Amino acid sequence: MSPSSAAASAPPNSVARSLANLEAAASTCRVLNLAEVGREWGGAAVWREQPLFRAWALNNAVLVKHRPGGEAPVTTRVHLAGIGGVAGPVIVLGRSGWREDLAKGCAADEGPAFQADLTVLQALDELPAFDPFLVREQLSRLGLGVAPCYAPITANEVEAVRAFIIDEVARLVMLAIGARKVEQTAKLVGAIMSAQDDPRLEPLRLTFGLEPGAFREGVFAWKGFLYYKRLLTQLKSQTNIASAELGRLVLLDPCPPLIGKYVEAGQDRIRRSLSQDLAAAAQLLAVYDKAFSDLTEQGDPRTFREFLAAAPALFFRLGERMGALSHFATYWRRRYPIGIKVEATGAEACELLRDIDIGLGDWPEGEAAAAA
């Protein structure tokens, strides 16, 4: 969803207000709101003893996934916490000098604690979105035991996701290497589900002819694909309903014609982009389905090998789309719960659209710099 002329003509100070709204709200798949986590859990021992980051400004920051538009990759913006109500600096990961700017913004030296924070931050940056299940999986790969409040997901939901993934993985294991014994299959599936390297996976790696590093990353991305495959049906319905409600947003009188045009353009832009994201996500998942079908129905492992090799890049593209859809559906329903009239004043509607744009990561570079 790229910035448009309508977005560029948003009312003054809307970026600053929208960033304040993001910080006041809970996390979504595009926004990891550590400030909100701190407000809710700051008095708990687990938050103090198992922090996500060591530096206070970073552990109370707001992380936003940003889509620059075009072919540029998704980036992570870190809105560091400030002191005394003053906003901290904005750090864009990957930009020249970002590590030095981060150290300065966190008032940290280059010691072990800061290096540990860098490792966690870069691991989160490698994810296309902040889905709690994937955040937990990624941190587990690093062997980090952080407090569950940073990636909240119920035990039942975790088990449901894992059961879905395990079922698909088990079918592939039996067909790929001819494992017929329940015990042997269970061990290999358990090894795949583990976040750590496991020598029991060597036969499977050799079957697909991949180097150890490529195989490890491919398996992680494969699990990410399965997570999103399970999520898409539910998310498609939620997104379509919320998008239709956005299209029916009623502006309360009086509303200047210029504001009305801005809101109408924003509604069309966002709804069109959401539709494109749904279609793109379905197309990416079809790549996996084709590879899995070739292996399980035709006994041909070549397509699945190609999928595993390309999976990390495909997973990032899929996660970018799914994260945007999930963010919108979640943010919209918090703003307009079921049964609430979908209406707003002109000023409220402008701010709402701007919140959606920023939450999706779709805001002009110049305005981002001004907000910093």
Side-chain angles (χ1 to χ4, degrees), residues 261-284:
K261 290 181 180 179
Y262 168 75
V263 172
E264 183 178 356
Q267 288 171 297
D268 291 343
R269 180 185 71 252
I270 292 171
R271 296 185 68 206
R272 184 170 56 251
S273 294
L274 290 169
S275 178
Q276 292 170 353
D277 283 342
L278 278 170
Q283 290 174 357
L284 286 166

Side-chain angles (χ1 to χ4, degrees), residues 244-261:
E245 291 177 2
L246 171 62
R248 296 194 298 268
L249 176 67
V250 174
L251 293 181
L252 301 174
D253 294 330
C255 181
L258 183 62
I259 294 296
K261 290 181 180 179

